[in-house]
Every structure is written in C-alpha cells, then in structure tokens.
Amino acid sequence: MKKLTLLLTFLMAFFWMNAQPEIKFDSQTYDFGKIKEEGGKVTGRFEFTNVGNEDLILTNVKPGCGCTAANYSKEPIAPGKRGYIEATYNPYNRPGAFHKNIRVTTNEPKFLQDESAVPHMIFIKGEVLKRPPTEFELAHYTNGNGMARIKEVSVSHNIMNSQQVRDTFMVRNFWTKPVSFKLDTKNDYVREVSRSFGESLQPGQEAFIVLEYDAAKRNSYGMTKDVVTFITNDSLEPRKSVHFAMNIKEDFSKLDAKELKMAPVSQYSVVSLEMGDVKVNSQAVAKVTIKNVGRSPLLIRRVNSNSGYFKANADMQSVPVNGTATVNVTFKASNRAGLQKSTIDIITNDPANPIQVIDVKANVL
C-alpha cells in the first residue's frame, strides 16, 4: 500500500512538473501586400493553438511603433483550443515598405521563471502606396485641418524688452464660402496692424495678416511662449492659433557711463550644482546664492528651469546692495533613472551678466 501511494505521488508530481501551456502560431508573419496610404487602417489576424496541456494566457501583447494590437484573446485558452491576436496598422503619412514586430508573452514556464526571457515575435509587413498630394500640400498650407488655413503658424525672435516686431502671416481660403477672420486675444502685447483683405477671405483667395508683438508690454524676460487665436466661421476648424516663441533680453544700450558705474553686480556662489545620488521617488535640494556687490538694487527678473524635474525659485526679487538672495533648487527623482542633467537660467538687471546659466546634475539610483 505504501509503495502504491509513493508511486501515485511520484506520478502526480511528474505530471505537475510537465503540465504546461504552449503557444503555436499558424503563421508568424502577416503580409498586407500593397495598401493605399489614404485607404484607412488595415487589420491582420494571427491565430494560434494551445498545444500544451494547461490553460494558456496571453500576459502581454506589445506592438511596435505605428502598430496597435488591442484586440486579442483575453480569456484562458484550454489545451487544444485556439486564440487570436489582431494587429492594426495605420498607413496614413507612412508611405513605403514597412515591417513591424509584435512581442507576445504568455504564462508559459520560460516567462514565469525568467522575466528577461525573449518574447514570441510575430510580424506584419507590406508596402504603403503614396497617396496623391492634397490641394493643401500643393499650395504648401499643411498646418491645421480646416478649409481656411494659415501657412506658417509659429514664429520665433530674439528681441530686446524695449522692441516691437512685426510678422506677416499668409492665409488662404480653400472653401467655397467666404471665411471671416477675427483676432481673439485678451492680452495687449499682440495686435493686428494690417491685412490685405476685408473682414472675410473670399473662396480661393490668398492674402496676409500682419501682427505686432510688443516686448515692452509683455514685461517678461528669457524664453517666452505665447499663443493668439483667430476666430473664424470655418466649419472644420473655427479657432486658428498662431504661436510666438520669443527670447526677450533686457536693453542696456541706453545706459550712460555713470549709470553703468552705479549698476548692480551679481556674484554667484556656484555656476554648477552636483546634487549627488538620489533614490527613486525621493528628492534632493540644493541652493545657489547671489550676492549684490554693485551700487544699486539687483533685480531678479526670472528664474527658469529647463527641465520639469528640476524646480528653482528665488527667495527675493530685489537684492539690496551687499545683500544676498538664495535660489533653492529641488530635484524630484520620480520616473527617472541614471544621470540627469539640465540648466537653470537666472535673469537679472546686471548689465555685465544679465543671464547666468547654472548647470545641474543628479544621479537617480
């Protein structure tokens, strides 16, 4: 009896050790052949069988760039039963041949025993036939989605804080109806100064609008981004935006010799911050001090971090003669790994050094 029990136990253990799911694809490549770029998304279906002796579960289906695979067998697949993975590819703006992979992991033992195990690979391929150019592309009006469009929707300038700059924006109406344009802005530093048409653009008409950006009224320093909007009766895209990226610098050209002699002078404790090792999901804090060794108050115009992970702020905006301000720098190590680098711009009214760039580093463990 004891021998029989031992035999049954051995057989059960042997069966348990050898019981496992196993995936087998009918084909690991789906060829779409030649498809039209303007024809819309295409979907290929991969079918497979569980040739193992335990239920098979797809634990992760990860498609490559430009491909999606949201639709696949979610329920456990019994031995001998079949499942599927559907892969969808969007050919729009992707002319030419393509070959994309989809990585598939399951509850097969090799994945349970080793997280770094190479996943199963299935592939989609084909050739996207380039669509003919649209009327917008032929006219070089590719920004936006409406029937009336602005040719270039963004401008950038280096500008003094005492200056104004004007930009000309070409507009065209591709619609069969007149399209009205009205500047809609709540600020006083961007205004329309002229246009080559009336209230509305006529069908097929190309014209221009001139906008003026007044840095003095903007009252900001360093890299500044602004958006203004035109309201139209375009049924597809009634609001049309124009983007300004302005690097605004303080104009010291009107200061005479006496004023320059009486100007503030900034003296920085460091121009590079090494914040050391920081554990993930924690933070580190460091500081930069600025002493005013000049003869008039030092105004801290702006403290700007060029990374969202590094935050910086000054404890005062006006530093008296022989006074010291502190810029506190905080680094948050969430969702990052390894060495992190950035810069912080400190902008003041020191004519000799109006913009001081502080290099910052932190190493996320």
Side-chain angles (χ1 to χ4, degrees):
M1 187 67 178
K2 185 180 292 186
K3 290 182 179 180
L4 180 61
T5 301
L6 288 172
L7 178 62
L8 288 172
T9 301
F10 173 79
L11 290 173
M12 289 177 65
F14 177 82
F15 176 79
W16 180 83
M17 290 176 63
N18 288 275
Q20 61 183 36
E22 183 180 349
I23 191 170
K24 183 178 181 181
F25 287 96
D26 293 356
S27 174
Q28 290 181 264
T29 301
Y30 189 97
D31 189 352
F32 287 103
K34 297 182 184 295
I35 58 177
K36 293 183 177 181
E37 182 182 347
E38 71 276 21
K41 297 177 181 179
V42 291
T43 299
R45 185 180 176 96
F46 296 86
E47 294 192 351
F48 58 85
T49 302
N50 178 7
V51 296
N53 50 20
E54 282 289 312
D55 285 357
L56 174 74
I57 300 172
L58 301 183
T59 57
N60 192 22
V61 178
K62 187 176 181 180
C65 177
C67 173
T68 57
N71 193 21
Y72 57 88
S73 297
K74 305 291 198 306
E75 300 298 324
I77 298 153
K81 298 300 182 180
R82 293 174 63 77
Y84 69 92
I85 297 172
E86 288 185 345
T88 300
Y89 185 74
N90 186 358
Y92 193 74
N93 281 340
R94 294 189 175 102
F98 66 91
H99 193 278
K100 303 291 181 180
N101 66 68
I102 301 165
R103 298 167 179 263
V104 181
T105 57
T106 70
N107 65 331
E108 291 169 278
K110 70 172 184 176
F111 299 115
L112 299 179
Q113 296 165 6
D114 182 4
E115 292 182 356
S116 63
V118 178
H120 298 290
M121 302 286 280
I122 55 178
F123 304 90
I124 59 171
K125 68 177 185 177
E127 182 182 359
V128 178
L129 303 177
K130 185 174 177 61
R131 58 179 169 77
T134 66
E135 59 178 327
F136 308 110
E137 291 170 332
L138 289 172
H140 305 291
Y141 278 81
T142 56
N143 293 303
N145 299 300
M147 293 303 294
R149 298 194 177 191
I150 303 173
K151 196 169 193 176
E152 299 295 336
V153 296
S154 61
V155 293
S156 60
H157 293 283
N158 288 309
I159 186 174
M160 293 297 179
N161 68 320
S162 58
Q163 291 180 319
Q164 298 83 37
V165 64
R166 293 184 177 185
D167 290 288
T168 300
F169 297 90
M170 300 301 298
V171 293
R172 182 167 175 174
N173 182 8
F174 294 86
W175 206 12
T176 56
K177 302 177 182 179
V179 176
S180 59
F181 272 78
K182 182 181 179 181
L183 184 63
D184 178 41
T185 178
K186 296 179 175 61
N187 66 62
D188 63 349
Y189 50 85
V190 179
R191 68 185 184 98
E192 181 181 324
V193 294
S194 67
R195 61 171 63 187
S196 63
F197 62 102
E199 182 180 331
S200 299
L201 268 177
Q202 298 306 306
Q205 183 182 6
E206 184 176 44
F208 65 80
I209 299 173
V210 179
L211 299 181
E212 181 181 82
Y213 187 100
D214 190 331
K217 291 182 178 179
R218 182 64 176 89
N219 193 29
S220 183
Y221 299 88
M223 288 302 303
T224 304
K225 295 183 179 181
D226 295 288
V227 180
V228 297
T229 303
F230 287 97
I231 303 298
T232 76
N233 61 322
D234 185 336
S235 62
L236 295 177
E237 188 184 54
R239 298 180 66 86
K240 303 184 184 298
S241 298
V242 172
H243 301 257
F244 291 88
M246 315 298 278
N247 185 19
I248 303 175
K249 300 178 181 180
E250 188 160 359
D251 186 1
F252 298 105
S253 63
K254 296 180 181 179
L255 297 181
D256 58 27
K258 182 178 179 181
E259 289 172 317
L260 288 172
K261 187 176 181 180
M262 295 300 297
V265 177
S266 56
Q267 189 178 80
Y268 291 82
S269 59
V270 294
V271 294
S272 179
L273 277 180
E274 298 279 353
M275 302 184 73
D277 293 335
V278 186
K279 292 183 178 179
V280 68
N281 295 323
S282 64
Q283 66 180 35
V285 178
K287 66 180 181 179
V288 178
T289 60
I290 312 169
K291 185 174 182 180
N292 179 12
V293 295
R295 297 184 178 183
S296 61
L298 176 73
L299 303 179
I300 299 179
R301 303 292 197 188
R302 186 177 177 185
V303 178
N304 180 56
S305 172
N306 294 299
S307 166
Y309 295 96
F310 291 90
K311 303 291 186 181
N313 58 80
D315 65 351
M316 65 177 71
Q317 273 66 54
S318 180
V319 187
V321 174
N322 293 321
T324 300
T326 299
V327 174
N328 294 299
V329 180
T330 303
F331 172 71
K332 292 187 176 181
S334 57
N335 301 320
R336 309 294 283 180
L339 183 63
Q340 307 298 314
K341 299 179 181 180
S342 187
T343 56
I344 294 169
D345 301 330
I346 302 176
I347 303 172
T348 71
N349 66 331
D350 177 354
N353 186 27
I355 303 176
Q356 178 63 58
V357 178
I358 307 295
D359 294 312
V360 289
K361 297 178 183 179
N363 185 49
V364 181
L365 299 177

